[in-house]
Amino acid sequence: MDDSFDFDYLIPFCQSLWDNKDILVNSKYQCLYKTIVSRVYYSAFHHAKSWLEINHNFKTREFNYETGKMRNIGGLSEHVQVFKELRKVAKDQKSLKREFFSASSKLEDLFNNRVDADYDETSIFEEIEVTDAIQNAIFIVNLLKFN
């Protein structure tokens, strides 16, 4: 049994959950929908963060010598730093500028939906929102190819 984990595995896993939703749940879809929305965000986020680290020497954390602990750079969450860095990279693009800005917007939208899915028990997701979340995550991963 292979116990290794890669965040990129979450998107096809969520696609499989989606494709088999009628077998997995008996008409009570919100738990499944929220799980998919949450996990595809994290897959896209970690992929984007790794891509930025490898291709742009991007870092979100630094060592704080006063406390002896790691801290977020600039006091910003890692999520916000990744959104901002993708926009910065987009500005430097010649042929894919629009796609990079779109990826940043899609990632931020996925984040906001993930927050609703994880913390707002009154939020309700429709099928189109789940399929859009999966497709947006796939768009981000496909755009940010590793060399």
Side-chain angles (χ1 to χ4, degrees), residues 43-54:
S43 182
F45 166 76
H46 283 287
H47 184 92
K49 183 177 171 227
S50 294
W51 184 87
L52 289 166
E53 289 169 349
I54 291 168

Side-chain angles (χ1 to χ4, degrees), residues 3 20 23 34 53 55 74 116 119 127 130 133 138 142:
D3 289 333
N20 294 290
I23 298 167
K34 288 180 176 225
E53 289 169 349
N55 293 292
D116 287 345
Y119 299 109
E127 282 192 18
V130 179
I138 290 169
N142 285 340

Side-chain angles (χ1 to χ4, degrees), residues 3-145:
D3 289 333
S4 64
F5 180 77
D6 183 329
F7 279 99
D8 284 353
Y9 299 159
L10 287 172
I11 294 173
F13 175 75
C14 287
Q15 183 68 57
S16 180
L17 287 176
W18 179 253
D19 293 343
N20 294 290
K21 67 183 177 291
D22 293 324
I23 298 167
L24 295 168
V25 294
N26 185 15
S27 75
K28 303 285 187 191
Y29 293 109
Q30 285 306 306
C31 182
L32 181 67
Y33 289 3
K34 288 180 176 225
T35 298
I36 291 171
V37 166
S38 179
R39 297 301 89 193
V40 296
Y41 165 70
Y42 275 110
S43 182
F45 166 76
H46 283 287
H47 184 92
K49 183 177 171 227
S50 294
W51 184 87
L52 289 166
E53 289 169 349
I54 291 168
N55 293 292
H56 293 273
N57 200 27
F58 175 68
K59 300 287 181 235
T60 59
R61 313 257 304 145
E62 64 187 0
F63 187 75
N64 181 336
Y65 290 98
E66 292 175 14
T67 65
K69 298 179 181 179
M70 296 296 288
R71 68 176 172 201
N72 289 352
I73 294 174
L76 297 173
S77 77
E78 290 183 285
H79 305 273
V80 170
Q81 290 181 65
V82 169
F83 307 151
K84 287 182 160 210
E85 189 68 15
L86 277 177
R87 286 189 188 97
K88 184 176 160 189
V89 169
K91 290 177 185 176
D92 296 334
Q93 294 295 310
K94 290 182 177 33
S95 62
L96 297 173
K97 183 180 293 240
R98 185 176 311 144
E99 287 85 351
F100 273 84
F101 276 116
S102 179
S104 179
S105 293
K106 288 175 189 296
L107 188 61
E108 196 163 0
D109 289 344
L110 285 170
F111 171 78
N112 291 328
N113 285 338
R114 195 275 308 165
V115 169
D116 287 345
D118 288 349
Y119 299 109
D120 183 358
E121 63 187 47
T122 65
S123 68
I124 303 293
F125 287 90
E126 301 295 329
E127 282 192 18
I128 188 69
E129 293 171 298
V130 179
T131 57
D132 284 350
I134 294 168
Q135 293 307 310
N136 288 341
I138 290 169
F139 174 86
I140 293 163
V141 169
N142 285 340
L143 177 66
L144 305 177
K145 296 278 188 205

